């Protein structure tokens, strides 16, 4: 039965919220068996004007929906209808940080993992509600953190709908609030994890997002965060944001209007090497670090970034990444891409990589992921670069000898060449060149 006193109701919801936060799966199941959904629905409906009741009801929903698809579905349905209640409470209690924090927490959890739930919130004004909360509580770390995490979960995914979502956030000028959150909360890990994830998601899908965040100085803020916040998810999403912000941008786009580069090459090289060295066992950090190296070399026509990486002895880091994470598609793909960008047309760089290690990694990558188009592309192009870029005959012969000693690389390359219909741009030329050198 629903308590008649709002104070009693608030206290019951507070107890439920605390139990849901620390309770076992068995206790949570017991709550659902005893009509918790109905109680929460009554709380949200009958006490709409009571901020404290709304706060603790939404807080309970947030904890109850952490990681459970079945509980999320139950709470979104009648009689609770949590999605509608969240958005309504945010409008009615815009000035209450407790309500906003709990509502955003619940929204973020509900938007995790389901395109349908994300679409519900988007169609019912979630972006405007998130932005209103962030603007009204700009100095409240909890509201900022949960608001940005909610935006991150709404924008995560690889479907075509997510491209539209990125456009909606862009049109609402979400980037301004994102940068303000970073500036107002420079030491808050929650704000940065969510914010960097949002930046990575948006930059992956939109040139306009990339240019807007470049113009607002995002790279400088990211580098500072990577330096000061030693947190694996900050390293992961910070490197992802920096990597995605340079996708397909030419040199003129990366430069600011005054001709200066908003991404300091020296600092960028330092933080990416630091991340690779500090988190050698974290496949996500290693993969995004390698992607950043490859993407940025592609737009850095003056090769300053590449030279700084080579001067900092990047070769062992990349070979170690391929060896330690040889079964991880994303790490292998981006590490091969990074090495290829480093050695392409550069005999000195080739000299840093022409070792038994890189030959083994090429062979193992093709053996493990021969059917993967991108890995096949990067491994074959890297083989070609290592052979074609050598100007000193003894080094070239040494590289050829190591490839011959791999006892199987030539067989895999022949299989790749035989699949004429599957060959991407340039692969046929690269493989034929390598096979001729190895014959």
């Amino acid at each position: 039965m629903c308590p008649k006193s709002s104070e009693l109701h608030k206290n019951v919801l507070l107890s439920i919220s605390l139990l849901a936060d620390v309770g076992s799966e068995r206790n949570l199941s017991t709550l659902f068996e005893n009509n918790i959904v109905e109680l929460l629905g009554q709380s949200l409906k009958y006490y709409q004007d009571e901020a404290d009741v709304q706060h603790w009801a939404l807080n309970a929903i947030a904890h109850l929906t952490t990681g459970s698809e079945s509980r999320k579905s139950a709470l979104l349905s009648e009689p609770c209808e949590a999605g509608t209640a969240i958005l309504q409470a945010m409008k009615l209690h815009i000035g209450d940080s407790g309500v906003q924090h709990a509502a955003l927490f619940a929204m973020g959890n509900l938007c995790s993992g389901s395109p349908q739930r994300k679409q519900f919130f988007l169609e019912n004004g979630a972006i405007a509600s998130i932005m209103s909360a962030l603007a009204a509580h700009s100095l409240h770390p909890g509201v900022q953190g949960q608001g940005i995490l909610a935006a991150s979960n709404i924008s995560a995914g690889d479907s075509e709908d997510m491209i539209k979502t990125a456009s909606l956030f862009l049109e609402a000028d979400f980037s301004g609030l994102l940068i303000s959150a970073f500036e107002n909360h420079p030491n808050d890990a929650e704000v940065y994890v969510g914010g960097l994830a949002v930046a990575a998601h948006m930059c992956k899908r939109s040139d306009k997002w990339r240019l807007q965040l470049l113009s607002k100085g995002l790279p400088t803020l990211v580098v500072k965060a990577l330096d000061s916040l030693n947190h694996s998810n900050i390293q992961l999403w910070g490197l992802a944001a920096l990597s995605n912000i340079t996708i397909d941008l030419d040199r003129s786009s990366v430069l600011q209007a005054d001709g200066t580069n908003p991404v300091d090459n020296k600092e960028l090289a330092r933080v990416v090497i630091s991340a690779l060295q500090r988190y050698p066992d974290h496949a996500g950090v290693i993969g995004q670090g390698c992607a950043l190296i490859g993407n940025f070399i592609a737009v850095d026509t003056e090769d300053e970034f590449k030279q700084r990486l080579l001067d900092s002895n990047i070769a062992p880091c990349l070979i170690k990444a391929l060896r330690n994470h040889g079964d991880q598609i994303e790490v292998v793909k981006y590490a091969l891409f990074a090495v290829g960008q480093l050695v392409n047309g550069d005999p000195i760089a080739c000299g840093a990589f022409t070792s038994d290690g890189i030959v083994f990694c090429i062979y193992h990558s093709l053996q493990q992921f021969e059917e993967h188009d991108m890995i096949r592309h990067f491994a074959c192009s890297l083989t070609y670069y290592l052979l074609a870029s050598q100007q000193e005959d003894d080094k070239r012969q040494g590289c050829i000898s190591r490839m011959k000693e791999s006892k199987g690389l030539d067989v895999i390359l022949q299989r790749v060449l035989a699949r004429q219909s599957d060959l991407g741009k340039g692969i046929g030329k690269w493989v034929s060149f390598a096979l001729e050198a190895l014959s």
Side-chain angles (χ1 to χ4, degrees):
M1 179 177 288
C2 175
K4 296 180 180 179
S5 162
S6 63
E7 185 66 24
L8 179 58
H9 213 133
K10 181 191 76 172
N11 291 333
V12 170
L13 292 168
L14 172 58
S15 299
I16 292 170
S17 181
L18 293 173
L19 181 61
D21 185 17
V22 301
S24 65
E25 189 64 33
R26 181 179 177 181
N27 286 340
L28 294 177
S29 297
T30 301
L31 284 174
F32 274 82
E33 291 168 2
N34 286 275
N35 299 323
I36 185 63
V37 175
E38 182 178 358
L39 175 62
L40 290 169
Q42 290 174 337
S43 304
L44 293 165
K45 180 178 180 181
Y46 295 122
Y47 295 99
Q48 289 182 2
D49 296 331
E50 298 282 348
D52 285 346
V53 173
Q54 297 292 302
H55 172 193
W56 290 111
L58 294 171
N59 201 57
I61 289 171
H63 289 300
L64 289 167
T65 54
T66 301
S68 171
E69 292 300 308
S70 61
R71 291 198 290 266
K72 290 175 185 177
S73 296
L75 288 163
L76 280 170
S77 305
E78 293 183 350
C80 184
E81 297 182 294
T84 301
I86 287 168
L87 296 170
Q88 185 168 5
M90 292 183 73
K91 289 179 182 177
L92 289 175
H93 304 283
I94 185 60
D96 191 292
S97 61
V99 172
Q100 299 301 312
H101 178 270
L104 291 166
F105 184 9
M107 185 193 300
N109 284 345
L110 288 166
C111 287
S112 176
S114 168
Q116 291 76 23
R117 292 196 295 266
K118 293 177 187 180
Q119 195 59 36
F120 168 84
F121 280 102
L122 286 170
E123 290 176 354
N124 287 277
I127 294 178
S129 294
I130 293 171
M131 292 188 65
S132 294
L134 293 176
H137 303 279
S138 61
L139 299 181
H140 191 290
V143 172
Q144 296 294 300
Q146 291 301 334
I148 291 172
L149 283 170
S152 173
N153 286 346
I154 288 175
S155 62
D158 295 316
S159 69
E160 287 296 316
D161 289 338
M162 293 302 100
I163 297 176
K164 297 177 183 176
T165 301
S167 297
L168 292 173
F169 275 100
L170 184 74
E171 290 167 6
D173 195 25
F174 188 79
S175 64
L177 289 173
L178 182 63
I179 297 298
S180 294
F182 287 150
E183 293 174 340
N184 290 332
H185 305 278
N187 299 312
D188 193 295
E190 187 177 65
V191 170
Y192 265 87
V193 169
L196 293 172
V198 170
H201 296 327
M202 300 305 182
C203 290
K204 186 177 181 180
R205 304 186 186 96
S206 167
D207 284 344
K208 291 181 179 179
W209 258 102
R210 294 171 204 149
L211 292 172
Q212 192 167 107
L213 289 174
L214 277 169
S215 70
K216 295 179 184 294
L218 177 71
T220 300
L221 292 170
V222 176
V223 169
K224 288 180 180 178
L226 291 174
D227 260 341
S228 62
L229 299 172
N230 189 15
H231 186 296
S232 61
N233 281 336
I234 288 175
Q235 302 294 312
L236 167 65
W237 289 113
L239 293 173
L242 290 173
S243 174
N244 291 346
I245 210 168
T246 57
I247 294 174
D248 296 333
L249 292 178
D250 60 27
R251 182 71 178 175
S252 61
S253 297
V254 178
L255 294 178
Q256 289 180 325
D258 62 359
T260 61
N261 192 339
V263 186
D264 183 282
N265 292 316
K266 180 179 179 180
E267 290 297 290
L268 190 61
R270 182 180 57 75
V271 296
V272 71
I273 290 174
S274 175
L276 295 178
Q277 291 174 339
R278 280 190 290 170
Y279 296 93
D281 299 323
H282 194 299
V285 172
I286 298 298
Q288 291 301 333
C290 292
L292 169 59
I293 290 170
N295 285 340
F296 201 79
I297 289 174
V299 299
D300 185 27
T301 55
E302 296 177 3
D303 287 343
E304 181 185 359
F305 176 65
K306 180 167 95 170
Q307 193 55 52
R308 289 191 179 278
L309 289 172
L310 292 170
D311 291 344
S312 300
N313 203 24
I314 189 66
C317 288
L318 295 177
I319 292 173
K320 185 176 181 180
L322 285 163
R323 283 186 174 276
N324 288 359
H325 303 283
D327 60 342
Q328 300 289 321
I329 288 179
E330 294 300 299
V331 175
V332 172
K333 176 176 69 175
Y334 288 126
L336 291 172
F337 172 51
V339 177
Q341 290 290 335
L342 283 162
V343 304
N344 185 12
D346 190 330
I348 296 175
C350 279
F353 284 95
T354 49
S355 65
D356 294 331
I358 195 62
V359 172
F360 169 81
C361 291
I362 292 171
Y363 169 67
H364 183 269
S365 300
L366 283 170
Q367 187 181 49
Q368 183 90 347
F369 301 110
E370 187 179 340
E371 302 300 317
H372 191 285
D373 290 345
M374 295 298 289
I375 289 178
R376 193 167 65 241
H377 176 99
F378 291 140
C380 291
S381 61
L382 175 56
T383 304
Y384 169 75
Y385 297 152
L386 288 170
L387 293 171
S389 298
Q390 297 289 350
Q391 292 181 342
E392 297 179 33
D393 189 61
D394 60 333
K395 289 186 177 180
R396 186 171 185 275
Q397 289 303 318
C399 185
I400 291 172
S401 296
R402 292 185 181 93
M403 289 186 178
K404 285 182 176 179
E405 290 168 4
S406 66
K407 297 179 181 180
L409 179 59
D410 57 336
V411 175
I412 295 178
L413 291 174
Q414 287 169 356
R415 286 204 302 267
V416 171
L417 189 62
R419 299 168 59 173
Q420 293 290 340
S421 61
D422 293 343
L423 293 180
K425 182 180 179 182
I427 291 185
K429 177 187 73 173
W430 298 329
V431 175
S432 296
F433 181 95
L435 286 171
E436 183 179 348
L438 294 173
S439 62

